[in-house]
Amino acid sequence: MHFKRLLNRFETEFVNVSFSTNYMKKIGVFTSGGDAPGMNACVRAVVRGAIYNGLEVVGIQYGYEGMIEGRFVDLQARSVSNIIQRGGTILRTARSEQFRTPEGRARAAGNLKDADIDGLVAIGGDGTFQGATRLAEEHNVAIIGVPGTIDNDLFGTDYTIGYDTAVNTAVEAIDKIRDTAASHDRLFYVEVMGRDSGFIALDVGITSGSEHIAVPETQTNISELEEALAGSKRHKSSAIIIVAEGEESGGALSLAERIKDAAGYDYRICVLGHIQRGGTPTARDRLLASRLGVAAVDALLEGQSGVMVGEIHGKISFTPLKETWTKRKSIDKDLWRLASILST
Ligand code: ATP
């Protein structure tokens, strides 16, 4: 074990420093867009991965907004103690209108330069990576993206940090809804997050044993759904329909209004909303966050930039930032089939 540590140190000091971009001395890390459980675990991994490699680390608060305002804090290994299990983000997050302008990005780049920050790790979703792409292109900032969003809608990674926790939170809530649905012989329309994608809805639908799932990727055929519900009504006293918020009718409320007489069920609507964003990250999310955080630091040290680090089939992968938001990750057709087989 001791030998292994010495070997690691040797690799770090002699391999990384001698043969890669040895100008990297200080890096910045920030979280941006919607918060996601596991962001803290990722910040911790970035900080400790950087310190292990002899780098200084600065935390940028409130995402791009804080970058523009110069809200930088020095981070040490102990600054990230006791956060691996916490939801949200200790660095805070924000949506920044100023950063969408060339002037805003120039101010942010100027602040990075003044603080001697040589590279950035951006933890966020597709919007964050659009901003990161611009910052890298316009101001030559070395930047690595880490997928942190509950939506799982980023091309270039099988899973995003926060997704597993969000799915588990929703399933736990629906297990409770199922108890009341069964007791009152009711139909429940349950709305889950997913403005543009049905990843959460599909996984939640299968694992909560729901009867029907409506997602943004496909048009909901109302007469087919009415027919299916009428079929359910013949042999099931209660039912659950999972509706992604971006479903084409406009979510659970609008969909419920379109279904004639709810096939005879007494029905209720439940919007799970922001509870899906919070809470203790699952072990799977903590592991993914830890792995990707350290891989992002390694990538900066290797001289990579303008890429997102992800995990595909269990292996670390790198995808150009631009592809993460220009290419679309599609829903697994086999899962869709599974949902329809199991809901009969
Ligand atoms: P989530 O998927 O959880 O919503 P996100 O990263 O997609 O996370 P956004 O609010 O879309 O969240 O983006 C975060 C921030 O990135 C925005 O507030 C904005 O400052 C910046 N951003 C988004 N799109 C662009 C763009 N086209 N150009 C420059 N900056 C952008």
Side-chain angles (χ1 to χ4, degrees):
M1 189 62 195
H2 183 60
F3 174 73
K4 238 183 184 173
R5 256 192 236 135
L6 278 176
L7 185 67
N8 281 344
R9 194 105 217 121
F10 173 84
E11 280 177 0
T12 306
E13 282 168 16
F14 295 94
V15 180
N16 281 341
V17 176
S18 307
F19 302 120
S20 62
T21 50
N22 53 12
Y23 70 89
M24 197 72 55
K25 287 195 172 59
K26 193 195 272 189
I27 65 166
V29 57
F30 64 99
T31 50
S32 165
D35 62 303
M39 278 183 161
N40 279 330
C42 190
V43 170
R44 172 181 180 269
V46 171
V47 171
R48 294 199 175 164
I51 289 169
Y52 176 85
N53 283 292
L55 299 173
E56 288 176 60
V57 199
V58 165
I60 301 166
Q61 297 172 318
Y62 297 97
Y64 292 126
E65 196 66 11
M67 204 181 287
I68 292 170
E69 291 170 2
R71 299 187 68 151
F72 301 162
V73 285
D74 290 335
L75 295 174
Q76 316 297 335
R78 297 279 73 73
S79 320
V80 289
S81 297
N82 204 22
I83 64 166
I84 194 168
Q85 78 284 13
R86 282 171 57 190
T89 159
I90 59 157
L91 291 179
R92 310 290 200 274
T93 184
R95 307 205 193 256
S96 171
E97 282 312 310
Q98 287 191 77
F99 195 79
R100 292 178 184 274
T101 66
E103 299 75 33
R105 292 193 290 276
R107 265 186 72 187
N111 287 339
L112 294 173
K113 199 157 180 266
D114 291 347
D116 295 323
I117 294 173
D118 307 308
L120 287 177
V121 176
I123 308 166
D126 61 335
T128 300
F129 296 162
Q130 288 184 44
T133 309
R134 296 223 151 90
L135 189 65
E137 281 173 1
E138 294 167 7
H139 299 282
N140 199 25
V141 174
I143 186 160
I144 303 290
V146 180
T149 167
I150 62 166
D151 294 333
N152 199 30
D153 58 351
L154 286 168
F155 180 85
T157 189
D158 287 342
Y159 296 104
T160 56
I161 297 165
Y163 173 69
D164 187 58
T165 308
V167 167
N168 276 286
T169 301
V171 168
E172 211 181 304
I174 294 162
D175 288 347
K176 295 184 172 96
I177 292 170
R178 188 172 272 284
D179 288 345
T180 179
S183 304
H184 286 273
D185 292 349
R186 273 181 187 148
L187 161 68
F188 268 84
Y189 294 89
V190 183
E191 185 176 299
V192 297
M193 281 192 167
R195 268 192 313 253
D196 306 306
S197 64
F199 290 101
I200 293 181
L202 184 56
D203 275 11
V204 165
I206 292 170
T207 55
S208 66
S210 77
E211 274 62 37
H212 305 283
I213 304 167
V215 297
E217 284 87 343
T218 57
Q219 254 202 331
T220 309
N221 185 323
I222 297 298
S223 51
E224 253 178 40
L225 184 53
E226 282 170 346
E227 219 171 279
L229 261 184
S232 296
K233 184 78 177 83
R234 281 195 283 277
H235 57 275
K236 291 184 177 185
S237 55
S238 65
I240 307 268
I241 301 183
I242 305 296
V243 190
E245 61 180 326
E247 181 273 340
E248 57 119 9
S249 315
L253 185 64
S254 316
L255 180 64
E257 280 168 357
R258 293 177 70 194
I259 307 291
K260 231 185 288 148
D261 303 327
Y265 282 110
D266 177 26
Y267 77 88
R268 294 289 184 276
I269 293 159
C270 182
V271 178
L272 295 185
H274 284 80
I275 65 159
Q276 292 159 96
R277 280 200 186 284
T280 301
T282 59
R284 189 166 282 277
D285 269 334
R286 295 181 205 192
L287 192 60
L288 182 67
S290 301
R291 217 178 159 204
L292 297 187
V294 169
V297 174
D298 288 344
L300 277 176
L301 284 166
E302 284 160 8
Q304 295 207 60
S305 177
V307 293
M308 180 193 80
V309 57
E311 201 186 77
I312 296 177
H313 303 315
K315 296 260 178 296
I316 294 291
S317 61
F318 295 96
T319 305
L321 280 177
K322 212 172 206 159
E323 286 186 16
T324 66
W325 47 273
T326 50
K327 292 193 174 172
R328 195 167 170 83
K329 181 160 87 181
S330 37
I331 269 187
D332 186 342
K333 286 201 179 74
D334 289 342
L335 283 183
W336 199 249
R337 181 171 169 268
L338 186 67
S340 96
I341 292 171
L342 297 179
S343 62
T344 50

